[in-house]
Amino acid sequence: MERPAWAPPGIDISVPSVSRMYDFYLGGSHNFEVDREAARKAMEFLPGLPKIMQANRAFMRRAVRYAVAGGVTQFLDIGSGIPTFGNVHEVAQAASDASRVVYVDHDPVAVAHSRAVLQGDPRAAVAAADLRKPREILRSHEVGELLDLDRPVALLLVAVLHFLEDEDEPGAAVAELLDALAPGSLLVLTHASYEGIPATQEQAGGVVDVYRDIRNPLVMRGREEIGRFFTGTELVEPGLVPMPLWRPDSPDEEEDPFAFSGFAGVGRKA
């Protein structure tokens, strides 16, 4: 298998990666054939997966603009993946020159590509770290350099918590991160769910099996379970809703039915 010039040395390009599959769903070019093969297999069960990912990104952009409009110009994006057009730093910096962004991912390809994209931008950086180890994230050089944790921060956990199993204690990780942030900080979150998917549970289960086979279990949680991640915050209107329904830019009847899969919300720390 030929190694692309942009692939960092030491990366096993024979093993699929969640962040590179996500890049493929979004129409990106920083993925390998093994990622495309796994993504296509998942799409055999849910052909609307790209629409779901697009809805995730669209929600993220709306939430970032909401944060900046409310005076929050610091962003900690965990599980950020491979930067694509219209990513957090572009949206935030377009809304305010004061915006500062730290991306966090544990995929070496995502980290390496993010560093290349962000080169020469003093207002954005990427840290190699894992959501399962919040303390390492908070103590990272990048967070220390760019973010002032004594002022409000928007914590972005977009399409990442469903890759943590219950035994990983995702709720504790979120709580530890929120505890380190100042009052007025925001939790911006999306999560996959069986609720709202325009397909049978069997079809959705086929996608879960694909991710399990590549050793990245996809954990579908219900709305009530997802809501618990917002403990310690107050949900802003309209609450925890399907992604297109969170402060939409256009009427929801224009959306593909698959875009309503899963939930999105923003909580404000008191």
Side-chain angles (χ1 to χ4, degrees):
M1 188 183 300
E2 189 177 343
R3 177 180 293 275
W6 52 263
I11 298 299
D12 187 350
I13 63 174
S14 67
V15 178
S17 150
V18 165
S19 63
R20 297 193 306 266
M21 288 170 69
Y22 192 88
D23 179 67
F24 172 72
Y25 292 135
L26 289 171
S29 59
H30 286 82
N31 47 77
F32 307 136
E33 180 54 37
V34 68
D35 306 308
R36 296 189 284 274
E37 187 179 330
R40 290 187 194 108
K41 192 177 293 184
M43 288 169 64
E44 287 176 12
F45 296 99
L46 283 184
L49 277 168
K51 292 293 182 185
I52 297 173
M53 307 311 169
Q54 290 163 21
N56 257 290
R57 278 297 164 102
F59 160 75
M60 175 273 289
R61 289 191 285 267
R62 296 195 304 276
V64 167
R65 289 194 293 266
Y66 169 83
V68 174
V72 179
T73 56
Q74 302 190 104
F75 297 86
L76 179 57
D77 183 2
I78 302 177
S80 51
I82 295 168
T84 56
F85 177 75
N87 210 1
V88 175
H89 72 285
E90 293 178 336
V91 178
Q93 291 172 3
S96 170
D97 288 339
S99 293
R100 300 289 183 270
V101 179
V102 174
Y103 293 113
V104 178
D105 208 288
H106 70 279
D107 182 332
V109 170
V111 172
H113 188 57
S114 298
R115 284 180 177 150
V117 168
L118 300 173
Q119 192 171 12
D121 186 345
R123 299 175 294 169
V126 59
D130 195 311
L131 175 56
R132 296 172 185 84
K133 299 176 180 177
R135 195 168 303 175
E136 288 184 13
I137 295 172
L138 295 165
R139 292 179 176 176
S140 68
H141 169 76
E142 292 80 6
V143 167
E145 280 283 304
L146 279 180
L147 304 183
D148 177 1
L149 300 187
D150 291 327
R151 296 193 299 112
V153 172
L155 171 62
L156 275 66
L157 298 173
V158 177
V160 63
L161 285 167
H162 46 234
F163 291 114
L164 267 62
E165 298 182 276
D166 289 344
E167 63 194 46
D168 294 319
E169 299 185 330
V174 176
E176 186 171 343
L177 288 163
L178 280 173
D179 190 54
L181 303 183
S185 292
L186 301 174
L187 172 59
V188 177
L189 183 154
T190 67
H191 198 296
S193 177
Y194 285 120
E195 297 173 34
I197 293 181
T200 65
Q201 190 153 330
E202 212 171 62
Q203 288 172 293
V207 175
V208 170
D209 289 342
V210 170
Y211 279 91
R212 185 183 297 116
D213 289 345
I214 65 170
R215 299 178 185 177
N216 278 286
L218 176 60
V219 183
M220 301 288 220
R221 295 184 171 98
R223 186 176 182 277
E224 188 177 334
E225 285 180 281
I226 298 166
R228 292 189 197 119
F229 290 120
F230 289 95
T231 300
T233 73
E234 183 180 348
L235 279 165
V236 304
E237 289 294 333
L240 185 60
V241 295
M243 292 174 288
L245 299 183
W246 197 90
R247 299 177 179 247
D249 294 326
S250 57
D252 58 49
E253 60 264 21
E254 296 177 12
E255 291 285 354
D256 185 283
F258 274 99
F260 293 86
S261 306
F263 292 96
V266 174
R268 180 178 287 106
K269 181 178 175 180

